[in-house]
Amino acid sequence: MTDRPPFAETHVRLAHGAGGPAMRALIDAVFLGQTRDPAALARADAACLPFGDGFLVITTDAHVVSPPEFPGGDIGRLSICGVVNDLAMAGACDVAALTSCVVLEEGFPLETLRRLHASVERACAEAGAGARVVAGDTKVMRRGELDGVIFSTTGVAFANRVVRDDGLRPGDALLITGTIGDHGLTVLSARHGLGLEGELRSDVAPLNGLVKVALAAGGAQVHAMKDPTRGGVTGALTEMAEKAGVAVRLREAALPMTAAARAAAELLGIDPLIVANEGKALIAVAPEAAGTVLAALRAHPLGHAAAHIGEVVAGPAGELLLDTGFGTRRLVSRDADPLPRIC
Ligand code: MG
């Protein structure tokens, strides 16, 4: 673990929810302060607890996205996919059960709530047999005490073998399962009525089927996985590389992006590498298995744009270098979140 300065803050700031260094400092200081629990101290998106001959994998996630409906998805779909994907990143692709808490603002339209629930059910169906909401809770707050709706979801799965987010080894190939930036740029465009939505669509999707295919192709050669949600590819890779004590080199020309997302990022002046994705995974795989895993990903409907975007190298822990074709730029995971309430 890297040394961090003492936590001297007195009040919560937006940056404490942005997925960057400030959030990690808050979690370390307040939530993990005294714990000795190895599952919690792993600071992973899902906890992997030894269970029988395998593992019980559990994760939980709150969604506060604004607006609640956007091109390609809505907060209901997001609430299921977010949890299914955090389980899948640990290698747990067969969901056992989900729970869902919905906190509503007085006056929230029931017609919208019905649509969001239908979307929850569709996302569950896409994620497979075990992905079903078996328990839930509903709370209502007075008008003005909450902005519309919050979904909070918990998911459980069993796995024989788990994949960690800190397993990067120098020499590993880094794969991404598809285009970057689509989700965050779509939500931002919808929120501000930028009129870019025509071709921009969120990528929000359950990745457990795709990950299953990658694990079947790569087996133990798959060393680490993480979904680049809040903080984007830069945030996710920084965290993975810090934990593993390695550096990462990315090739800008290899990063897959749709033309619409590229145009939106340019127009908004936002680096697509820090934008949240909700249907993509970063996969570190031994170099000799990279071709096989990439081919397997590309043969899956959610992975046709998968790409080999860089390498894990020996170097300062958490250092991210981007080869731009003209030179090398250092990527830094920051606290200044240009995109609050994106997931
Ligand atoms: Mg995650």
Side-chain angles (χ1 to χ4, degrees):
M1 192 184 129
T2 44
D3 285 328
R4 298 183 203 283
F7 191 75
E9 303 202 47
T10 54
H11 291 81
V12 172
R13 296 181 289 121
L14 271 178
H16 288 133
M23 191 186 82
R24 291 197 284 276
L26 174 82
I27 291 171
D28 283 352
V30 178
F31 299 115
L32 295 179
Q34 302 301 319
T35 193
R36 292 179 192 281
D37 190 309
L41 287 171
R43 294 172 179 77
D45 289 344
C48 303
L49 310 175
F51 185 88
D53 293 336
F55 295 88
L56 183 153
V57 183
I58 182 164
T59 190
T60 192
D61 215 334
H63 289 94
V64 297
V65 65
S66 167
E69 295 175 290
F70 44 82
D74 56 46
I75 192 170
R77 180 171 178 81
L78 201 53
S79 75
I80 299 303
C81 298
V83 162
V84 168
N85 293 349
D86 278 345
L87 293 173
M89 293 308 114
C93 298
D94 296 311
V95 182
L98 302 164
T99 71
S100 175
C101 296
V102 185
V103 188
L104 292 153
E105 182 188 15
E106 178 188 14
F108 192 79
L110 277 177
E111 193 185 329
T112 311
L113 186 59
R114 284 204 178 90
R115 274 202 305 277
L116 297 178
H117 181 66
S119 182
V120 162
E121 297 209 310
R122 272 195 304 276
C124 284
E126 286 173 44
R132 65 213 204 277
V133 176
V134 295
D137 187 28
T138 310
K139 296 271 163 49
V140 179
M141 294 178 73
R142 281 179 295 200
R143 201 181 292 269
E145 290 181 344
L146 169 76
D147 181 16
V149 60
I150 296 174
F151 272 75
S152 178
T153 314
T154 295
V156 183
F158 299 96
N160 294 324
R161 184 178 87 84
V162 291
V163 180
R164 297 171 56 108
D165 62 2
D166 64 354
L168 303 178
R169 301 178 200 172
D172 280 354
L174 264 177
L175 312 180
I176 190 154
T177 60
T179 55
I180 65 166
D182 305 280
H183 175 74
L185 292 165
T186 301
V187 173
L188 197 67
S189 174
R191 185 184 307 166
H192 297 294
L194 300 182
L196 303 171
E197 297 96 84
E199 297 161 58
L200 267 185
R201 283 178 74 78
S202 168
D203 59 348
V204 56
L207 293 174
N208 53 333
L210 179 66
V211 168
K212 203 173 210 177
V213 158
L215 291 174
Q221 309 276 61
V222 173
H223 292 160
M225 296 191 286
K226 191 170 177 66
D227 52 346
T229 55
R230 253 180 325 181
V233 169
T234 295
L237 280 179
T238 300
E239 202 177 325
M240 294 173 89
E242 263 181 19
K243 283 182 176 178
V246 296
V248 165
R249 280 180 173 275
L250 296 178
R251 286 181 298 279
E252 190 166 36
L255 293 168
M257 278 186 84
T258 66
R262 201 178 290 279
E266 256 173 46
L267 188 74
L268 297 166
I270 292 175
D271 177 0
L273 283 164
I274 64 163
V275 175
N277 309 274
E278 292 292 343
K280 299 293 150 47
L282 290 160
I283 304 179
V285 54
E288 57 272 23
T292 315
V293 174
L294 191 60
L297 289 171
R298 285 180 174 163
H300 188 281
L302 289 175
H304 63 89
H308 179 173
I309 58 170
E311 262 69 41
V312 179
V313 295
E319 184 178 83
L320 244 65
L321 295 172
L322 180 71
D323 175 358
T324 63
F326 305 101
T328 302
R329 177 158 75 89
R330 180 150 183 234
L331 302 175
V332 181
S333 172
R334 295 182 197 282
D335 285 326
D337 187 358
L339 310 165
R341 297 199 52 193
I342 222 77
C343 55

